[in-house]
Amino acid sequence: MQPLRAASADPGFVPGLTGATDEPRDAVRDDVPDEASDEATELVGADADASDASEGEAEDQPEDEDGAAPADGPVFEAADRRGRIVADAEGVRLSYDDEACEFRWDELAAVESEKGRFGKRFTVTVHTPDRRWYPIDLLAPDRGRIAAWETELDAVLDAYFDDEAP
């Protein structure tokens, strides 16, 4: 019996992202030339040096990377051992294991949340105007925490999400 090789198991099979390969994902990464990995190491080192230099400035006045002061509005943040959801004035950010995606508020068609009927599962699904959806499941420490997450997410959506049609 061969292992399942589909988009549900490997994002490389999603059309338009990357081409499908018959090789396992780890084998493909081993074929990367050493020059590319050296460049990546240099870029990471340069970013670390720049962040160390600006660290002292950031302590004096809090600003985000656009130079504007951070918003004082509501922020929703929920995480478990594998996934994380953050919704604030900038948009919605989802991460699961080593995969991550970001959506600005103007890129979203809908955001829905759902709690599991049994257990401690909390699901947030982000819908885009081009009929794609991105669900993420989190396991809450207890069922009471799910109710708090729903309340916090509703407050953020009420504050930032514009549900009027363009």
Side-chain angles (χ1 to χ4, degrees):
M1 188 167 155
Q2 293 193 353
L4 177 64
R5 303 293 297 174
S8 63
D10 186 3
F13 281 82
V14 175
L17 278 173
T18 60
T21 63
D22 292 334
E23 299 177 18
R25 209 170 195 197
D26 297 328
V28 174
R29 289 184 182 167
D30 290 339
D31 295 339
V32 176
D34 290 336
E35 295 172 5
S37 62
D38 290 341
E39 283 182 25
T41 304
E42 289 175 11
L43 291 175
V44 170
D47 289 341
D49 292 341
S51 66
D52 289 342
S54 66
E55 191 172 280
E57 297 172 9
E59 292 174 0
D60 295 338
Q61 61 184 43
E63 293 184 352
D64 53 1
E65 55 193 47
D66 293 336
D72 291 333
V75 175
F76 169 71
E77 188 169 343
D80 67 359
R81 62 183 177 87
R82 296 184 72 186
R84 178 182 200 82
I85 304 168
V86 177
D88 56 14
E90 296 175 11
V92 178
R93 292 177 293 286
L94 308 174
S95 61
Y96 193 77
D97 290 337
D98 59 346
E99 302 294 324
C101 57
E102 294 185 27
F103 303 95
R104 293 186 322 264
W105 290 111
D106 61 342
E107 297 175 324
L108 299 177
V111 177
E112 66 179 335
S113 64
E114 178 181 359
K115 60 182 174 182
R117 196 166 170 198
F118 304 106
K120 301 179 281 186
R121 184 173 307 275
F122 181 67
T123 304
V124 174
T125 305
V126 174
H127 297 270
T128 60
D130 58 350
R131 295 186 179 173
R132 294 187 186 262
W133 62 92
Y134 303 88
I136 186 167
D137 290 325
L138 298 177
L139 292 176
D142 55 34
R143 291 201 48 93
R145 189 67 193 140
I146 293 175
W149 282 349
E150 283 185 323
T151 304
E152 293 171 16
L153 181 59
D154 285 342
V156 170
L157 293 176
D158 289 342
Y160 302 120
F161 186 64
D162 182 24
D163 55 355
E164 294 180 15

